[in-house]
Amino acid sequence: SFTVAWQFEGGNGFSAPNALVDPRTGEFVAIVACERDVGVVAFDARGKRLWEYRLEPPAMAAPAVADIDGDGR
């Protein structure tokens, strides 16, 4: 059983969200997803939009997230 903590209504929906966890602490960091009418967006644990990267609509890919330089951030 689980409880919905928050919801966000995207203009034309979302595709393929990823939940990000800090590998050092195991704590939740963000949810990153493609919002079809916007591009790549990130939300914190409370549902606040942290940032967005605009793409030509429709954005329908699964965002990939990685620590490219290996610094743990």
Side-chain angles (χ1 to χ4, degrees):
S1 164
F2 64 91
T3 302
V4 175
W6 55 272
Q7 294 182 0
F8 182 86
E9 294 289 330
N12 200 10
F14 290 90
S15 64
N18 291 302
L20 304 181
V21 175
D22 184 327
R24 294 166 292 172
T25 65
E27 293 182 21
F28 173 84
V29 177
I31 293 175
V32 179
C34 277
E35 186 176 355
R36 290 189 179 112
D37 289 345
V38 176
V40 182
V41 295
F43 299 94
D44 70 9
R46 293 187 179 98
K48 177 183 174 193
R49 186 180 296 233
L50 299 172
W51 53 262
E52 64 184 48
Y53 182 84
R54 294 222 166 245
L55 297 172
E56 177 109 6
M60 297 178 59
V65 180
D67 180 4
I68 295 171
D69 61 5
D71 68 353
R73 297 185 285 161

